[in-house]
Amino acid sequence: MRRVKIILDETTRDGDSEIFILTNLPTKLANALVVAQIYRKRWTIETLFQILTKIFNCEIKTLGYPKAAVFAFCVALVSYNILSVVLAALRSIHGIKKIEQEVSSYYLADEIRGTYRGMMIAIPPSEWKVFSKNESN
């Protein structure tokens, strides 16, 4: 077991200027730089799951059926990919720093969600009956 100290160029949102990573990776396989790079990739994945959970509601507590839960998770993943493409397009035009500082993933997703809410108001309930499990074909 070893502890890797990383001194940050910018402080974290909590004001920390350094972080420590505990690892059991042997030094021969992963020096401190490799450990830091692996951790950074892992943190990106953790951030992805936070966005999926908070913004796209991939963990719906009422989904007691495994297939429904997997489906909801897959829809959230597709939604995240769409969000990533939109953010990448914005970054390519306006620059990385501007988008990271001024664009909220939450509010961007909420804007898209608003289209759904509007659709649910504009389309009468009778039009949705074809998707009902009880509807006979």
Side-chain angles (χ1 to χ4, degrees):
M1 191 67 123
R2 64 188 166 120
R3 182 177 84 155
V4 175
K5 176 181 177 181
I6 300 174
I7 300 172
L8 304 171
D9 292 335
E10 296 179 25
T11 59
T12 65
R13 62 179 165 233
D14 297 327
D16 298 325
S17 59
E18 59 188 27
I19 59 172
F20 297 92
I21 302 170
L22 291 176
T23 182
N24 61 353
L25 293 171
T27 307
K28 291 179 183 178
L29 291 177
N31 61 26
L33 180 60
V34 171
V35 169
Q37 290 169 337
I38 291 170
Y39 181 78
R40 184 175 180 200
K41 285 181 183 178
R42 179 180 182 268
W43 192 248
T44 302
I45 293 169
E46 293 290 335
T47 302
L48 159 83
F49 282 106
Q50 179 188 18
I51 290 171
L52 289 174
T53 303
K54 299 293 182 191
I55 295 176
F56 294 115
N57 301 320
C58 77
E59 288 184 10
I60 301 172
K61 307 230 182 296
T62 59
L63 291 176
Y65 300 99
K67 288 182 180 179
V70 170
F71 178 72
F73 181 72
C74 290
V75 169
L77 283 174
V78 169
S79 300
Y80 179 82
N81 284 339
I82 293 168
L83 176 66
S84 296
V85 169
V86 170
L87 289 172
L90 290 171
R91 284 191 295 268
S92 72
I93 293 171
H94 301 287
I96 295 170
K97 192 171 186 173
K98 181 174 181 66
I99 299 306
E100 286 180 357
Q101 290 177 349
E102 297 181 22
V103 175
S104 163
S105 294
Y106 174 83
Y107 286 113
L108 186 56
D110 188 57
E111 184 67 27
I112 295 166
R113 195 177 292 129
T115 302
Y116 168 77
R117 288 189 297 261
M119 180 180 69
M120 295 306 291
I121 292 168
I123 299 174
S126 60
E127 296 295 323
W128 296 104
K129 286 187 179 183
V130 296
F131 300 107
S132 173
K133 187 175 182 179
N134 298 329
E135 182 72 21
S136 59
N137 293 332

